Every structure is written in C-alpha cells, then in structure tokens.
C-alpha cells in the first residue's frame, strides 16, 4: 500500500489466476470483495480454508510481508523457505538465496508486467456471507455484531478497529475498497480507533469511518468525540461492551479485568452526538438503521456477555493454548 501497488497486484492475480491473501498488517491492500481474494492469513488463528491454502502452497509470492509474532499468532508458520519467493525493502529472497540489490518496487513492477502462463484455479475461495437477518428477540453476541457490520460495508466506508477483539473480530470483515482498514495491528496500542476516525474523515471527508472499539479503549480516548462533533463529522462507533478486558480474561481471569460500567450511548450526548443501547439483535438492527440515516456522530453501545468473544479471537486463543 505504501508503494501504491495494490491495483497492480490484483491485476497480476487476474492475469495469472493466482489468488491473493493478506496478513493483518496488510489487510485491505486490495478490494476484498474481489473473486480472487482468499482472506486474511494469520498463521494458526486463520480461518481454516485460508490456512489450508497458504500452508499447503508449493509457491508463495510474498510482497513486503513482515514475519512477526503478531502477524502469525505467536507460533511458527507451516510453510518452509523452499516454498517462498519474498521481496521486501531488504531485498529479494528465493529459497536460501538473498539478492540485496533487487529493489522492492522494481521487482514487483517487473513481475506484474511479465508474461506468466495462466493456470486453472484449482482451489475453492470461500466468501463470507454479507446478508444479516436479525432474530429480534435473540441476545446480541460479538459474532452477530460483526456479521451486522459486514452487511453494511460499502466502498464509501472505512473500518477503524482498536486492539483486542475489535481487531481479531474485524479481521474477518470484507473491506470493499483498498486501504480502507486501519488498525494498530503491529504495536497493538489501545485507544487509537476514535482519534483514528477523526484523522480519517478530516483527511477523506467523503469516507464514513466505521469504528470498532472495546469499552476499555473507549474509556481511554473518548474525549476526541468532542473534536469529531466540533468538525461536524459523522462516524458510527460500535462499542464492543464486554464489561472489561475480554482478551486478557481469556489468558488470565480476575477482577483486575473488570471495568466500571459506563452508559457509553449516553456519554456521547454530552458532546452533541447521538447514541443507542443494544442488547438484542432487533435493537442492533434498529440502532444501525438510525446511525446510517444520521448525519451526526452515532455511538452504538453493544452490550454482550463477559465471556462472549468473536470467532477470530477464539482462533487466536486456541493457537496460544496449543503453544502453551
């Protein structure tokens, strides 16, 4: 994305019939609704079909991939050096050979323009269902909140995800425009999503930020909502309210993970925004409709159970448990 090569990458995929996957750090480098987009790969915590394709590939073309713990769920990856052609700012690596004089942009642009034989696509690319049909009386869950968010996303929206389950849950969302997913996935700095939305919409007024933030992160930086209202901006903020630090609960439970309960949907009214409390699927459906129609900042307080987590976080915790 920093070299502006996302569009060339997907055209290369179309020409060669090679599917494209991203890591968390490169999510939305291409339009994820594209038929060749495989999904987000994060090692052992990847969705099963994504993990299977990447781990069993006989040739991985890696462009700027950072082999970090966070990117691959703190576990060794399954693929080996002999399967990899990796280009980065450090040079080009092919199997056990390194060519430091080959520049990243030069390699990518030359490869993308080359004539490579098109192969038949012999793998299944599973697409996440985008429709959301609420069961009105059902208690809302983290998984269903993300399903609803996925159903409303358009090219004119950008996802701003805070850390923890906001990030792991959002990793499964389908982002419809390249570079429209922003999260501190490298440093995992809590509290960046709300000020991040402010920066995004000031820089790109035509883009509406969809903010996903935990209750703990909300309490750290919620005063920037005042600045958002001051500039007449209208992000939709989903507060994933699991009444504490849910990711930490999964690792080590205790009273230190609990937070004082706030009326997050009412707090925003102090600044001149709007809000709604959600405890059921029917209430979520109604609140999202109001938020989409509103021209103001809208905060949706999604109250879920303390132990309720997204499928993405479940996969991450499962991967860590295997390591431990």
């Amino acid at each position: 994305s920093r070299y502006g090569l996302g569009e060339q990458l997907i055209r290369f995929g179309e020409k060669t019939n090679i599917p494209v996957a991203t890591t968390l750090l490169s999510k939305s480098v291409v339009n994820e609704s594209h038929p060749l987009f495989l999904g987000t790969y994060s090692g052992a915590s990847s969705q099963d079909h994504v993990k299977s394709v990447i781990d069993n590939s006989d040739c991985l073309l890696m462009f700027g991939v950072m082999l970090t713990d966070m990117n691959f769920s703190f576990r060794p990856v399954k693929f080996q050096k002999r399967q990899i052609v990796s280009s980065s700012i450090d040079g080009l690596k092919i199997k056990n050979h390194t060519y430091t004089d080959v520049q990243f942009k030069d390699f990518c642009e030359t490869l993308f323009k080359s004539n490579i034989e098109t192969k038949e696509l012999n793998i299944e690319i599973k697409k996440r269902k985008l429709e959301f049909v609420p069961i009105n009386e059902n208690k809302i869950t983290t998984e269903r909140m993300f399903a609803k968010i996925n159903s409303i996303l358009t090219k004119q929206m950008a996802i701003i995800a805070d850390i923890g389950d906001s990030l792991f849950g959002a990793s499964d969302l389908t982002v419809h425009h390249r570079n429209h997913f922003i999260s501190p996935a490298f440093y995992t700095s809590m509290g960046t999503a709300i000020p991040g939305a402010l920066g995004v919409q000031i820089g790109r007024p035509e883009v509406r930020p969809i903010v996903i933030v935990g209750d703990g992160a909300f309490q750290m930086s919620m005063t920037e909502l005042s600045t958002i209202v001051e500039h007449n901006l209208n992000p939709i903020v989903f507060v994933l309210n699991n009444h504490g630090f849910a990711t930490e609960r999964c690792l080590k439970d205790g009273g230190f993970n609990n937070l004082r309960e706030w009326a997050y949907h009412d707090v925003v009214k102090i600044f001149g925004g709007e809000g709604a409390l959600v405890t059921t699927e029917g209430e979520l459906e109604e609140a999202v409709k109001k938020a989409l129609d509103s021209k103001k900042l809208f905060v949706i307080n999604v109250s879920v159970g303390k132990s309720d987590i997204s499928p993405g976080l479940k996969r991450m915790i499962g991967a860590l448990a295997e390591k431990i």
Side-chain angles (χ1 to χ4, degrees):
S1 62
R2 291 172 183 171
Y3 285 86
L5 295 170
E7 194 64 29
Q8 290 185 47
L9 171 62
I10 203 66
R11 298 286 87 82
F12 173 72
E14 290 173 343
K15 183 172 69 172
T16 58
N17 222 15
I18 298 175
V20 177
T22 66
T23 65
L24 272 176
L25 295 183
S26 60
K27 183 170 173 62
S28 83
V29 71
V30 298
N31 176 357
E32 296 179 356
S33 60
H34 194 281
L36 283 174
F37 179 69
L38 179 65
T40 301
Y41 180 77
S42 50
S45 65
S46 310
Q47 291 183 331
D48 288 342
H49 69 282
V50 179
K51 183 176 181 297
S52 176
V53 171
I54 299 297
D55 288 350
N56 295 312
S57 173
D58 59 353
C59 180
L60 291 172
L61 302 176
M62 297 168 58
F63 304 107
V65 175
M66 298 178 67
L67 301 174
T68 69
D69 288 346
M70 186 62 194
N71 248 348
F72 300 121
S73 304
F74 307 95
R75 298 205 63 193
V77 293
K78 297 292 186 181
F79 47 82
Q80 305 297 319
K81 281 186 178 180
R82 64 180 179 273
Q83 301 167 257
I84 297 172
V85 175
S86 177
S87 180
S88 70
I89 58 173
D90 295 322
L92 174 66
K93 295 181 180 180
I94 302 176
K95 297 185 177 181
N96 292 315
H97 304 282
T98 301
Y99 307 91
T100 56
D101 292 338
V102 179
Q103 298 297 302
F104 176 72
K105 188 175 183 181
D106 292 342
F107 174 78
C108 291
E109 290 183 339
T110 303
L111 177 66
F112 294 162
K113 293 175 183 176
S114 63
N115 293 318
I116 297 178
E117 181 183 355
T118 301
K119 299 287 187 179
E120 182 180 351
L121 188 64
N122 59 359
I123 63 169
E124 180 185 4
I125 298 180
K126 295 183 179 179
K127 291 300 180 182
R128 188 178 175 90
K129 294 180 180 179
L130 300 182
E131 66 273 12
F132 178 86
V133 179
I135 303 175
N136 291 339
E137 65 277 8
N138 276 15
K139 183 172 174 56
I140 191 61
T141 64
T142 303
E143 181 175 7
R144 292 291 282 166
M145 182 197 78
F146 279 108
K148 179 59 186 176
I149 293 173
N150 210 36
S151 74
I152 67 171
L153 295 180
T154 68
K155 291 183 177 180
Q156 288 71 45
M157 295 175 176
I159 292 290
I160 321 294
D162 220 286
I163 67 162
D165 209 1
S166 299
L167 169 59
F168 299 126
S171 68
D172 291 337
L173 296 176
T174 300
V175 184
H176 297 268
H177 193 288
R178 63 184 185 277
N179 304 327
H180 275 204
F181 181 88
I182 298 175
S183 178
F186 185 76
Y187 289 110
T188 58
S189 304
M190 181 177 286
T192 60
I194 291 174
L198 169 64
V200 165
Q201 204 166 20
I202 284 181
R204 296 283 301 278
E206 74 280 10
V207 175
R208 191 172 194 184
I210 305 298
V211 180
I212 307 170
V213 58
D215 43 350
F218 185 96
Q219 291 192 17
M220 292 182 69
S221 55
M222 52 84 68
T223 51
E224 286 306 319
L225 294 174
S226 177
T227 314
I228 288 172
V229 172
E230 175 68 18
H231 287 275
N232 298 311
L233 307 178
N234 67 334
I236 300 174
V237 179
F238 290 84
V239 181
L240 179 49
N241 181 8
N242 40 38
H243 319 285
F245 300 107
T247 306
E248 282 78 0
R249 279 197 193 109
C250 294
L251 301 174
K252 184 174 178 60
D253 199 5
F256 42 80
N257 289 320
N258 297 330
L259 282 171
R260 181 172 179 78
E261 189 73 17
W262 287 12
Y264 301 101
H265 55 293
D266 285 334
V267 168
V268 68
K269 295 175 184 177
I270 297 173
F271 306 125
E274 299 177 304
L277 172 64
V278 163
T279 60
T280 67
E281 292 189 11
E283 290 172 351
L284 177 64
E285 184 77 6
E286 183 179 350
V288 170
K289 185 179 185 304
K290 289 180 179 178
L292 290 172
D293 291 340
S294 176
K295 297 187 181 301
K296 291 184 176 182
L297 162 70
F298 203 103
V299 174
I300 302 176
N301 179 8
V302 184
S303 180
V304 301
K306 282 187 175 183
S307 60
D308 181 62
I309 58 176
S310 72
L313 182 53
K314 287 177 183 176
R315 296 194 302 268
M316 169 66 79
I317 296 301
L320 286 175
E322 288 180 16
K323 180 179 180 181
I324 294 170

